[in-house]
Amino acid sequence: MESLHPRVRLLWVLSTVIQASVLGVIAYLVDRFAVALPQWAIVGGWVVLVLLGIAHAVAAHRIWRFDLQDDALFLLRGVVTRTDTSVPYVRVQHVDTTRGPIERAVGLASVVVYTAGTRGADITIPGLRPERATELRERLRDLANESEATDAV
C-alpha cells in the first residue's frame, strides 16, 4: 500500500495552527469586549490545540494508506476511528485533482474521487506530489472506464 508524502504532516500542522489562531483571535475578542478571560488560558489553549494538532498529524501520516487493487480503490485512515474503505471502480463517477493555497505552499495536491451514491459520496486522497496526483487521477479514470465496460448488463 502507498503512503502519503511526508510533507502532508506540515500541511496538517499549518491547518491546525491557522484554526487554533482563529479560535485564539475569537477568545481575545471575547476577552476584550465581553467576558474577561485570563491571558494564560488563551495562550495555553492555543498551545494545547497546536500540540494536539501536531500529534494528530504524525499519527494520521503513519496510518494513512491507499492502494489500487484489481477491482477497487482501497483506503486505510483514521487516528481515533480507523476506517477501511473500498471503492469499486465501477462506482467512480469522476476524479479531480485539487490544490488549495496551503497545499500549493507546501508543494502538494489531493485527488478527489466522486462516487455514485448520496450527496457527499466522495473520497479525498491528500498529501500527494502534484505529478503523482495527476498520474493517480488518470489511472483511476482509466480503471473506472475499464470497469464500466466490463460491468455492462
Side-chain angles (χ1 to χ4, degrees):
M1 294 189 74
E2 187 174 340
S3 61
L4 305 179
H5 194 283
R7 268 188 303 208
V8 74
R9 293 177 295 205
L10 177 60
L11 171 71
W12 290 335
V13 168
L14 286 173
S15 295
T16 298
V17 168
I18 290 169
Q19 292 168 5
S21 296
V22 168
L23 289 175
V25 168
I26 292 170
Y28 171 77
L29 293 173
V30 167
D31 174 58
R32 181 99 167 115
F33 298 110
V35 180
L37 299 172
Q39 293 298 311
W40 62 266
I42 296 172
V43 174
W46 184 87
V47 169
V48 167
L49 288 175
V50 169
L51 290 175
L52 287 172
I54 291 169
H56 185 270
V58 170
H61 181 259
R62 282 191 197 137
I63 295 163
W64 233 111
R65 300 279 183 272
F66 68 95
D67 189 30
L68 298 179
Q69 298 177 341
D70 292 336
D71 61 345
L73 168 65
F74 184 76
L75 300 105
L76 175 62
R77 63 200 189 281
V79 175
V80 177
T81 302
R82 298 281 168 92
T83 304
D84 296 353
T85 304
S86 181
V87 181
Y89 298 130
V90 72
R91 303 287 293 168
V92 172
Q93 296 295 305
H94 68 280
V95 186
D96 292 337
T97 53
T98 62
R99 295 187 74 199
I102 300 173
E103 285 177 308
R104 286 192 306 270
V106 297
L108 296 176
S110 296
V111 171
V112 183
V113 180
Y114 297 91
T115 61
T118 60
R119 183 183 322 163
D122 59 315
I123 302 290
T124 301
I125 304 172
L128 302 170
R129 292 180 339 275
E131 308 81 35
R132 176 63 179 129
T134 300
E135 175 185 303
L136 182 60
R137 181 194 68 215
E138 296 303 315
R139 181 74 179 126
L140 284 166
R141 186 196 64 202
D142 293 344
L143 289 166
N145 286 337
E146 290 171 15
S147 67
E148 190 175 276
T150 61
D151 192 50
V153 178

